[in-house]
Amino acid sequence: MAINQEVLDEMLLPYPDKVQKNRTKHIVRKNPEEGCQQIEANTRTVPGIISQRGCCYAGCKGVVVGPIKDMITITHGPVGCAYYSWGTRRNKARADDITPPEQIYGAMCFVTDMQEPDIVFGGEKKLAKMIDEVVEMFHPRAVNVCATCPIGLIGDDLGAVTKKATEKHGIPVLAYNCEGYRGVSQSAGHHIANNILMENVIGSGDAEKNPSEFVLNLLGEYNIGGDSWEIERILHDIGYRVQGVLTGDSSVEEMKNMHIANLNLVMCHRSINYIAEMMEEKYGIPWLKINFIGVEAIKKSLRDIAQVTGDETFIRRTEEVIAREEARVLPVIEHYRKICTGKTAFAFVGGSRSHHYQYLLKDLGMEVVVTGYEFAHRDDYEGRSVIPTIKTDADSKNIPELDIKPDPELYKEAHEHLNLTKEKFDEICSRVPLGNYEGMYPDMNGGTLMIDDCNHYEAEQLVKELKPDLFFAGVRDKYIAQKMGVPAKQLHSYDYSGPYAGFNGAMNFARDVANAMTTPAWKFIIPPWEKESENKGDINA
Ligand code: CFN
């Protein structure tokens, strides 16, 4: 079901001219005849618009460093910032592979609780005291300190405090200047966290490579609802060793030795591509974009990994595992597919999942009518193989030309790291595009709407017009859809469910989606557009 231009025009009409002009650049209706249409992304949200985005602190603390289970992460700031980033993402961790097992801290919340006097006189002393206290009470292996907005505004020197604390306690105490206002979204926080972890943790271990193993790292996988456990189950079954996951259920010890891996797998490209690229440069480890969401996507990812190993045993074992898992899960998925086929979905998530889940929805025969990201960059929309030849200038009328070409010199050194001959490596690269990936746009059907930084008003208007059978988003917008009689499912935290990755995840997802759409509860809600008294959705009303 394609959206027509009139609906979009009507949606944009109530905006002031300047806002209308701005938002138009963030909305693309796919027309395959136009080549690669461009979308504006990763720019500042219009002030006053109710965006779904998070802040820099959320991207750093909440997304990347928070899940490291044996590090204590202190929020230096007001209690609210700490409270709302505590546990809501459902990144799981287990204690039984850590010694001592009680040394994991995900269930606890650490905050300096900045008060008015601290804002006036500075919070450095308070922070130093708090680090002393947590070290004395919990004896952690390492500590993270994440800054919130007021810290940058009052100018507390985080680096000086953490440097002193590192010397005093003899453990890494790392400072992250991830004040919420930095950048335009949580994406800036990912970058800051990637840099600090790369500088201070990754590669600092002394493990040696065992040439008889093929070692993988799983980057950009946060174990939401147990996703990485399911992915690791499959990889172990094939015979790989997973050294570390960034950062789902991860420990400092694992992370320190991630440099011994043969290959980095990149699940969420948006939050972790910086580390993948830095590890490639520093240690010559190639990276491969994979997707473990949806049976077809999993099969492709597993086959790509096997091809990269160049090892007949892995290639054969991969097919055995795929055959066994498919025999187990496909009949169950088929049962739910009958319910889901032909239904439409609205899928709007942060920076990677809106794309990944399109594969799973496709497996279920569902059509995605609106999609988009909160904070992704243009390469996530368009794919890395698409390189703009002129830099985008937001104010210029100069529309950048697109030059579609794969990165030419990709991985010329990497063949040594994989212990393959150059010929074999080149041959594999011709089949598996290492470090290269498709973005959301190339995978979309014609007529589908792609919308960047979709706000509450736009989401509401689009749901009203398109009446999708299912609305996938986050906690901020899910209830709007539900009040309109449209079932909604969180693709950030999975509500209370999961895993959704891997073969077992595909089954769980199919069941949850079919249940959401068939529950009789929706029959009891009269959506606003069916109530006569309802106005026509004017935002000024
Ligand atoms: S788990 Fe990831 S997959 S890390 Fe990122 S871009 Fe967020 S927390 Mo919410 S669900 Fe979302 Fe992605 Fe990567 Fe999650 S789509 S918005 S910052 N995200």
Side-chain angles (χ1 to χ4, degrees):
M1 195 208 336
I3 188 166
N4 58 42
Q5 190 59 42
E6 292 77 65
V7 171
L8 291 179
D9 292 344
E10 204 181 310
M11 179 177 88
L12 294 167
L13 202 62
Y15 285 139
D17 285 354
K18 223 172 139 189
V19 177
Q20 208 178 94
K21 216 170 130 202
N22 175 306
R23 289 303 301 153
T24 306
K25 295 184 203 158
H26 295 265
I27 301 171
V28 163
R29 194 164 56 107
K30 180 161 177 174
N31 178 359
E33 281 164 21
E34 281 189 38
C36 187
Q37 293 159 280
Q38 289 160 43
I39 190 161
E40 193 153 300
N42 192 31
T43 55
R44 198 163 285 280
T45 301
V46 177
I49 275 186
I50 303 177
S51 165
Q52 325 283 28
R53 282 173 161 179
C55 66
C56 179
Y57 161 81
C60 180
K61 191 269 179 183
V63 174
V64 182
V65 304
I68 306 168
K69 61 185 173 183
D70 55 350
M71 281 179 110
I72 282 186
T73 299
I74 298 172
T75 295
H76 187 31
V79 70
C81 298
Y83 181 78
Y84 286 106
S85 58
W86 174 37
T88 48
R89 191 155 164 258
R90 298 188 69 242
N91 47 279
K92 296 189 171 191
R94 61 175 149 237
D96 58 7
D97 57 348
I98 278 270
T99 324
E102 66 274 14
Q103 207 166 4
I104 74 168
Y105 308 104
M108 298 176 200
C109 185
F110 300 89
V111 58
T112 49
D113 185 22
M114 292 285 280
Q115 301 285 327
E116 219 172 305
D118 307 316
I119 299 292
V120 175
F121 299 107
E124 290 176 13
K125 283 195 188 121
K126 196 172 192 183
L127 174 62
K129 187 160 171 261
M130 173 145 200
I131 298 170
D132 292 348
E133 276 176 16
V134 297
V135 172
E136 198 182 310
M137 286 171 75
F138 297 101
H139 314 290
R141 298 198 169 97
V143 175
N144 296 315
V145 179
C146 292
T148 56
C149 293
I151 303 311
L153 297 173
I154 64 172
D156 271 5
D157 189 345
L158 234 57
V161 177
T162 52
K163 189 165 174 263
K164 265 194 207 148
T166 301
E167 285 157 11
K168 182 171 176 186
H169 299 295
I171 56 163
V173 181
L174 309 178
Y176 299 82
N177 280 103
C178 55
E179 285 85 353
Y181 56 74
R182 279 179 197 268
V184 300
S185 68
Q186 52 267 65
S187 180
H190 301 149
H191 204 157
I192 291 167
N194 277 221
N195 288 348
I196 304 279
L197 291 178
M198 191 66 199
E199 272 165 36
N200 298 284
V201 183
I202 294 165
S204 62
D206 50 16
E208 298 275 324
K209 203 172 187 157
N210 176 351
S212 67
E213 294 176 322
F214 196 88
V215 181
L216 302 170
N217 291 322
L218 185 52
L219 311 187
E221 171 45 58
Y222 301 92
N223 204 28
I224 313 296
D227 275 356
S228 77
W229 292 337
E230 166 65 0
I231 299 172
E232 285 178 85
R233 176 186 74 82
I234 300 163
L235 294 172
H236 289 157
D237 210 346
I238 293 174
Y240 303 116
R241 187 165 80 73
V242 178
Q243 168 60 35
V245 179
L246 283 184
T247 51
D249 193 20
S250 62
S251 70
V252 174
E253 216 39 47
E254 287 165 359
M255 285 169 56
K256 277 160 103 178
N257 292 313
M258 284 176 72
H259 61 293
I260 63 165
N262 296 83
L263 180 69
N264 277 333
L265 306 179
V266 178
M267 178 78 176
C268 165
H269 170 264
R270 183 64 274 133
S271 60
I272 217 91
N273 64 321
Y274 318 100
I275 284 181
E277 282 166 14
M278 287 186 278
M279 287 183 80
E280 178 201 347
E281 210 177 298
K282 193 164 173 189
Y283 304 110
I285 303 175
W287 57 276
L288 180 68
K289 179 85 180 77
I290 45 95
N291 175 19
F292 278 90
I293 308 291
V295 173
E296 290 306 314
I298 301 167
K299 281 158 62 182
K300 180 176 183 313
S301 298
L302 292 176
R303 286 176 177 147
D304 282 354
I305 300 165
Q307 290 291 348
V308 172
T309 68
D311 182 321
E312 291 307 321
T313 317
F314 283 125
I315 294 171
R316 183 179 40 78
R317 183 69 192 141
T318 297
E319 294 307 322
E320 285 168 5
V321 170
I322 289 175
R324 188 201 63 205
E325 294 288 312
E326 278 199 318
R328 186 171 64 84
V329 303
L330 287 186
V332 181
I333 293 175
E334 182 54 27
H335 170 72
Y336 295 115
R337 203 178 64 82
K338 288 189 189 124
I339 298 168
C340 299
T341 293
K343 298 280 199 294
T344 59
F346 185 131
F348 184 78
V349 206
S352 135
R353 293 190 169 180
S354 316
H355 181 212
H356 283 167
Y357 277 83
Q358 292 199 12
Y359 293 86
L360 198 35
L361 293 165
K362 214 177 192 178
D363 288 350
L364 294 175
M366 290 178 71
E367 187 195 349
V368 177
V369 285
V370 182
T371 185
Y373 297 124
E374 289 171 22
F375 53 80
H377 300 196
R378 275 188 53 195
D379 56 345
D380 300 300
Y381 284 105
E382 294 163 6
R384 180 177 159 143
S385 57
V386 181
I387 304 161
T389 50
I390 308 171
K391 278 253 179 287
T392 315
D393 175 356
D395 299 320
S396 129
K397 297 239 159 44
N398 228 349
I399 297 172
E401 292 285 315
L402 285 184
D403 181 10
I404 301 177
K405 60 179 181 209
D407 287 2
E409 291 294 298
L410 222 54
Y411 304 106
K412 60 180 188 307
E413 302 299 329
H415 64 281
E416 286 168 17
H417 194 82
L418 287 166
N419 296 326
L420 300 170
T421 62
K422 175 87 174 81
E423 291 68 40
K424 182 80 183 160
F425 185 78
D426 286 345
E427 191 250 315
I428 289 167
C429 281
S430 68
R431 281 176 287 131
V432 187
L434 285 164
N436 221 349
Y437 68 96
E438 292 286 302
M440 176 191 276
Y441 182 85
D443 284 338
M444 278 164 45
N445 294 329
T448 306
L449 191 72
M450 182 164 87
I451 180 162
D452 178 68
D453 190 15
C454 180
N455 56 55
H456 270 197
Y457 159 69
E458 289 165 355
E460 203 174 326
Q461 291 298 106
L462 291 169
V463 169
K464 234 180 234 177
E465 284 300 330
L466 295 168
K467 303 180 183 61
D469 294 299
L470 202 48
F471 182 79
F472 292 102
V475 72
R476 283 166 241 168
D477 30 9
K478 122 173 207 165
Y479 299 105
I480 304 173
Q482 291 197 337
K483 284 175 188 167
M484 294 165 98
V486 175
K489 179 110 204 79
Q490 290 195 64
L491 276 193
H492 300 256
S493 68
Y494 305 158
D495 294 307
Y496 309 99
S497 191
Y500 284 163
F503 294 104
N504 287 335
M507 268 195 309
N508 291 339
F509 185 80
R511 180 201 61 220
D512 288 357
V513 163
N515 284 351
M517 288 192 294
T518 49
T519 177
W522 309 113
K523 294 194 192 113
F524 299 111
I525 294 172
I526 304 165
W529 56 81
E530 284 179 14
K531 284 187 200 159
E532 274 183 7
S533 59
E534 188 66 20
N535 62 56
K536 286 257 180 309
D538 181 349
I539 56 164
N540 299 315

